[in-house]
Amino acid sequence: MSAGTELDLVELTAGVVLACAVVTLWRRDLRALVAVLALQGVALAALAAVLALHTGDVGLGVVAGVVLLAKGLVIPNLLARVVRRDPGSRETTPLVNVPASLVAAAGLVIVAYLSAGRLTSLFPSPMTRLAPLGLATVLVGFFVLVTRRKAVSQIVGLLLVDNGVALVAFLLTAGVPLLVELGASLDVLLVVVVLQVLATSMRARFGHVDLDQLRELHD
Amino acid sequence: MSEAAYLIGLGAAGAAALLGATLPARRRVLGAALLSSAACVCAFLAAGQVLVSGHAWSAHSAEVLPLTGVSLSLDPLSALFVATTALVGLATSWYTIGYAAHSAPSRTATAMLPAFLGSLLLVPTASSVATFMVAWELMALTSLLLLLNEHRQRDEARDAAQWYAAMTHVGAAAILLGLLLLATHAGGQTFAAIAAHRGQLSVALRSAVFVLTLVGFASKAGAVPLHAWLPRAHPEAPSPVSALMSGAMVNLGIYGIIRVGEDLLGGGALWWWLAVVALGVVSAIFGALHAAASADVKRLLAYSTVDNIGLILVGVGAAGALAVSGERLLAALALLAALFHLVNHALFKGCLFLGAGALQHATGTRDLDQLGGLARRMPVTAALFGIGALSISALPGFNGFASEWLLLESLLHGFADHTDATVVALLIGVAALAITGGLTAAAFVKALGVGFLGQPRTAGAASAREVAPSMLVGMALLAASCIALGIAPGVLLPVLERATASGLAVRPPSPLRAGLGLDLTGASGAIEPALVLAGLLGALVLAWVLVRLPARRSALRHARTAEAWGCGRELQTARMEVTATSFAEPLQRVFVDVLRPDRDLEVTHVAESRFFPQAISYQHRIDDGLERVLYRPVIDAVSAWGRLARRVPNGSVHRYLAFGFVALVLILVVLA
């Protein structure tokens, strides 16, 4: 694989990661959200795999496998199970509506590009110039967390943040140590399990999984 | 050798804490007490070796604390504080064995006491900013947990703990800020590196560091106006903890001022030390006044701690001011006197707090108005408490006299200084010393007279029994040290001189001649307390003989005996006796503007005639006036702010997330 193809592939996969993040703002169907998340996980794993092939780093190859397994398969499956419990559930009334969200996302991408200059200037290379994509994914994920009401959307937002962080790490350092990535993946998996349990028990207790209603627990 | 002993001591304190946490209820108190005694003995030996030989050691370990490592060093100044703490700690450890039999302390309390002791031993040896702050916070946290020990029984303990927690954390924050500022600009966080680079620091920076750390250390020492926690926390803590707090913890505030002001910052400006003298004067007078007016024996002792800390601060401030104007000999004398008084205060206040604990233990109350007649029921406790009271009242033959005399001499000789401001400050210091001397004597005549003499006022006092021998042994250790240092203060001089020399930024000549008594080298002034005591005892015997000899032949032979403290009346009842409140009444009248007593007299009359009262109820309370003026507005403002801030978190998860999100985006925008 030539260096040019490799860079193209990295650009493509990183672009897919950010595109998936933006799509989560657009789609309201929770099943679609989970599918987009799975796609994002696969894209992230592909990026890691490309980097691993290029550098010949076995550890990075294992990381790619772990990412594919955790973020491409296990976590989306867990989420899909939650979604299946109440079929047809949609993110009906987000706190910020879809068109406004998309405009905000554009703004966030600009913020990411402006502020990532310091990061990329540390070690300028074609690879690190893509770091703003990861940063933008983090910001969009955070935006999902802030504006979406359903528990599943919240989990998706959190995972977007995590994927964005992983993307920045891959692009800037050309590979996270295996141990760190394993630890982070396990952490995220644990968070998803906890949130799944929370969502289930919320439904059992309140009959819905709308986080906004939790306000009643205050005081 | 000294290093090994010290580290073994720290290890033993840690092991004692572990034992206290793990052993079953019966054994844990004994196990923890024995191990912490061992810790104190080791630390005392280690500090003693440094003090006697004058050879400091330092050690560094990179493993214990991540990033910074732990730096310890024991120089004579640190060693003096370690030795004092170890002595008070040893007495306290024995005392807890008997004390626990009565109060059944929880697992936490048993484990925290050795941990507190260990942190007290650790603070003066810390020789880097990180180590110091860790030890300092450890000390604050363990003492806070100990203070909360009896919160189930008394609401006041919870209130006291809140005050203590707030003030100690504000103080620690100020110290941290000051030391960080210092470490950043001095280019290193070990004390040695800071001291080496202090010449490059600007005056403004050094002054800022001094003021910040002074706020923190003064609040730990309990200097007015940062004293508000002390009269709450010391009475509410279990008595062994009060003894450690008053005998060891407040000292470390003084240690911090000397270490940072003299050792790290190298003396600095005159106004720093005049501010310290001012703090000292206000604390001394304020503390002594409230002590004289208190009827709660532990509250009285707590205020008397404020008073004595004030005197020590006067000495420290005088030393700093004299050193700035180049009077090295007088500076050394003043610091030596302050350190001597600090050691003495630790000994007698430790003894007195343990004695107050024994009173509470035996009678169930610490209100002097409900005690009385305990001298006959608890003779050993009474004698030991009496020795403490005589020492603190600075009577010849007891250690308080020696150090207060030395302090007074150093202030008087300081008038030779050519800076007017210093001379005025010293003059006010002398006046403060004089007035607190009188007020302290009044306070302890009250504590001793009302508490131990006369007739018991309540059933609790009447049924009091002598406390367990282990408690008496703890008190006796401190009382014996008080007498030893009172009769032969000279034996401690070489040790104090080494501590003074390592404390002052400029190396002073020796201010005193070697000997049993105290003999100034630079100026005229000498006293031999042993001879003074012998003279006084001789005069007493002579008076007794002169009264007794003619009495054999005269009408005095038929002299009758009545209750002491009972004005010689025969049908004396407890209701007719002077109480602590009534004893303090004249003083209260004189100082009514400062004390502002809250009095409430209510007379209900018989229905038929308003000339015959049916019942009279008299309530009387003395609040801390400074607290009302200085703290109330701050507390009100903080609670108003808190109420306002509570509107922001309304329970919406999205709002909380939005805070983080907006902050993140803002930071990114600012950084870009």
Side-chain angles (χ1 to χ4, degrees):
Chain A
M1 193 161 39
S2 73
T5 343
E6 182 247 346
L7 189 61
D8 286 344
L9 280 174
V10 169
E11 276 177 356
L12 174 70
T13 45
V16 170
V17 170
L18 177 59
C20 288
V22 177
V23 169
T24 51
L25 284 177
W26 169 43
R27 295 304 303 263
R28 291 186 177 192
D29 188 352
L30 295 184
R31 273 175 310 175
L33 287 190
V34 174
V36 168
L37 191 72
L39 178 60
Q40 194 180 39
V42 171
L44 200 62
L47 188 139
V50 169
L51 288 177
L53 281 178
H54 179 62
T55 54
D57 186 348
V58 181
L60 196 56
V62 178
V63 168
V66 170
V67 169
L68 182 67
L69 200 68
K71 292 178 174 166
L73 290 172
V74 177
I75 292 173
N77 268 328
L78 281 173
L79 282 179
R81 248 199 256 174
V82 180
V83 175
R84 239 176 279 140
R85 292 227 181 110
D86 48 353
S89 64
R90 293 167 64 82
E91 184 69 50
T92 41
T93 50
L95 294 175
V96 177
N97 65 25
V98 171
S101 297
L102 291 175
V103 174
L108 290 175
V109 172
I110 292 168
V111 168
Y113 259 97
L114 290 178
S115 57
R118 292 192 168 217
L119 275 179
T120 51
S121 66
L122 288 177
F123 184 67
S125 79
M127 205 85 92
T128 54
R129 269 207 304 279
L130 297 174
L133 291 175
L135 209 52
T137 310
V138 172
L139 291 179
V140 172
F142 222 140
F143 190 74
V144 171
L145 271 175
V146 174
T147 59
R148 298 312 191 242
R149 288 175 194 268
K150 295 283 183 213
V152 173
S153 321
Q154 296 276 318
I155 305 173
V156 170
L158 189 75
L159 292 169
L160 287 183
V161 172
D162 183 63
N163 286 347
V165 171
L167 181 57
V168 174
F170 282 135
L171 292 173
L172 282 189
T173 63
V176 197
L178 180 62
L179 200 64
V180 175
E181 180 54 38
L182 270 181
S185 295
L186 281 179
D187 263 4
V188 172
L189 195 61
L190 198 68
V191 167
V192 171
V193 171
V194 168
L195 282 172
Q196 189 196 6
V197 171
L198 179 74
T200 316
S201 79
M202 264 178 75
R203 190 176 17 252
R205 242 171 247 204
F206 308 117
H208 59 77
V209 273
D210 197 340
L211 277 186
D212 232 22
Q213 309 286 329
L214 278 183
R215 194 183 302 196
E216 289 162 17
L217 295 179
H218 185 56
D219 283 341
Chain B
M1 167 60 206
S2 161
E3 187 180 340
Y6 177 76
L7 293 177
I8 291 171
L10 276 191
L18 267 184
L19 277 191
T22 49
L23 283 185
R26 288 284 176 77
R27 309 244 178 82
R28 67 182 175 223
V29 171
L30 193 64
L34 289 180
L35 261 179
S36 37
S37 311
C40 290
V41 170
C42 288
F44 188 81
L45 291 177
Q49 206 207 352
V50 170
L51 282 170
V52 170
S53 69
H55 294 305
W57 55 262
S58 53
H60 180 82
S61 158
E63 282 83 37
V64 183
L65 210 62
L67 296 177
T68 56
V70 165
S71 308
L72 299 178
S73 94
L74 196 64
D75 64 356
L77 179 66
S78 311
L80 187 70
F81 285 87
V82 170
T84 311
T85 305
L87 201 56
V88 178
L90 184 61
T92 313
S93 301
W94 287 339
Y95 183 88
T96 47
I97 301 174
Y99 190 77
H102 165 77
S103 62
S106 68
R107 199 177 282 276
T108 322
T110 318
M112 279 304 127
L113 193 63
F116 179 41
L117 193 55
S119 68
L120 286 171
L121 293 172
L122 189 60
V123 169
T125 58
S127 67
S128 73
V129 172
T131 317
F132 185 82
M133 285 320 293
V134 168
W136 190 261
E137 285 296 287
L138 195 65
M139 176 176 86
L141 285 178
T142 46
S143 53
L144 180 63
L145 283 175
L146 285 167
L147 179 53
L148 270 170
N149 188 28
E150 291 171 9
H151 76 98
R152 278 184 226 284
Q153 288 91 333
R154 289 194 311 275
D155 282 345
E156 293 90 356
R158 224 168 300 162
D159 181 52
Q162 265 181 6
W163 274 87
Y164 178 55
M167 295 202 59
T168 197
H169 277 103
V170 169
I175 296 171
L176 180 65
L177 208 60
L179 290 183
L180 283 185
L181 206 61
L182 191 57
T184 328
H185 286 86
Q189 61 116 15
T190 61
F191 286 176
I194 293 173
H197 289 92
R198 65 179 173 220
Q200 302 155 12
L201 304 174
S202 71
V203 179
L205 179 84
R206 283 195 291 164
S207 298
V209 170
F210 184 75
V211 169
L212 279 171
T213 50
L214 180 63
V215 167
F217 289 131
S219 82
K220 185 57 91 185
V224 175
L226 299 167
H227 68 291
W229 64 273
L230 200 148
R232 286 189 166 79
H234 287 210
E236 290 308 327
S239 289
V241 181
S242 316
L244 274 182
M245 277 183 156
S246 222
M249 191 174 79
V250 293
N251 292 350
L252 296 180
I254 307 285
Y255 167 78
I257 294 174
I258 301 176
R259 176 65 76 194
V260 173
E262 291 286 358
D263 189 22
L264 298 189
L265 295 172
L270 183 63
W271 63 265
W272 297 4
W273 301 105
L274 296 184
V276 174
V277 173
L279 273 181
V281 166
V282 176
S283 307
I285 297 177
F286 187 85
L289 257 180
H290 273 275
S294 275
D296 174 339
V297 64
K298 281 180 88 176
R299 202 172 159 81
L300 183 154
L301 292 176
Y303 271 119
S304 140
T305 298
V306 174
D307 157 21
N308 280 284
I309 285 298
L311 295 183
I312 296 165
L313 281 176
V314 168
V316 171
L322 290 167
V324 169
S325 43
E327 300 278 0
R328 293 191 305 160
L329 187 72
L330 290 175
L333 183 61
L335 189 60
L336 192 146
L339 288 177
F340 192 19
H341 194 60
L342 181 139
V343 172
N344 290 338
H345 172 246
L347 298 176
F348 54 63
K349 193 52 70 61
C351 177
L352 286 168
F353 261 119
L354 295 183
L359 286 192
Q360 199 177 358
H361 192 117
T363 63
T365 177
R366 33 173 228 253
D367 186 354
L368 283 173
D369 288 342
Q370 298 186 18
L371 299 175
L374 293 177
R376 199 165 297 163
R377 291 168 181 80
M378 315 168 64
V380 185
T381 306
L384 295 173
F385 191 91
I387 291 172
L390 291 174
S391 304
I392 200 170
S393 311
L395 262 72
F398 297 92
N399 59 355
F401 172 75
S403 53
E404 286 201 25
W405 179 84
L406 207 54
L407 193 56
L408 196 62
E409 281 292 318
S410 71
L411 295 180
L412 290 173
H413 287 298
F415 293 163
D417 188 67
H418 43 76
T419 322
D420 289 341
T422 311
V423 174
V424 172
L426 295 183
L427 197 63
I428 298 174
V430 169
L433 202 61
I435 191 172
T436 55
L439 288 172
T440 306
F444 282 90
V445 165
K446 179 180 69 183
L448 209 56
V450 176
F452 289 93
L453 304 180
Q455 297 179 5
R457 294 185 182 77
T458 53
S463 61
R465 290 280 165 276
E466 189 60 271
V467 292
S470 66
M471 293 168 76
L472 295 176
V473 168
M475 289 153 67
L477 174 71
L478 294 175
S481 324
C482 286
I483 294 182
L485 285 185
I487 293 176
V491 293
L492 202 63
L493 281 183
V495 163
L496 286 170
E497 264 173 24
R498 281 193 199 99
T500 308
S502 79
L504 273 180
V506 282
R507 291 280 167 271
S510 178
L512 287 156
R513 264 182 218 104
L516 270 189
L518 303 169
D519 188 0
L520 307 189
T521 54
S524 64
I527 199 158
E528 200 73 47
L531 291 182
V532 174
L533 185 68
L536 280 175
L537 286 179
L540 270 179
V541 171
L542 193 66
W544 186 77
V545 169
L546 286 180
V547 169
R548 273 291 152 146
L549 279 182
R552 286 182 183 267
R553 271 164 280 118
S554 74
L556 272 174
R557 198 185 334 186
H558 308 293
R560 58 188 172 80
T561 47
E563 285 281 346
W565 210 247
C567 303
R569 282 188 289 262
E570 278 209 335
L571 292 170
Q572 175 84 9
T573 69
R575 297 275 293 164
M576 296 157 73
E577 287 173 348
V578 174
T579 63
T581 312
S582 55
F583 185 87
E585 173 70 14
L587 267 176
Q588 227 177 80
R589 271 176 199 274
V590 175
F591 294 103
V592 70
D593 288 335
V594 187
L595 291 173
R596 304 263 187 94
D598 218 359
R599 262 175 266 151
D600 198 10
L601 186 64
E602 218 172 275
V603 184
T604 43
H605 300 282
V606 180
E608 293 83 47
S609 164
R610 58 186 209 83
F611 296 106
F612 297 98
Q614 190 176 35
I616 302 177
S617 84
Y618 175 75
Q619 280 192 333
H620 165 266
R621 214 160 61 99
I622 295 181
D623 278 340
D624 197 324
L626 271 179
E627 206 175 288
R628 208 162 25 201
V629 178
L630 295 180
Y631 286 81
R632 224 357 91 194
V634 176
I635 294 172
D636 288 345
V638 169
S639 2
W641 178 243
R643 273 193 300 278
L644 205 68
R646 271 183 57 185
R647 286 189 213 155
V648 177
N650 62 351
S652 154
V653 178
H654 293 101
R655 188 184 279 211
Y656 300 159
L657 287 167
F659 290 147
F661 180 61
V662 171
L664 177 66
V665 172
L666 278 182
I667 288 171
L668 283 179
V669 169
V670 169
L671 286 182

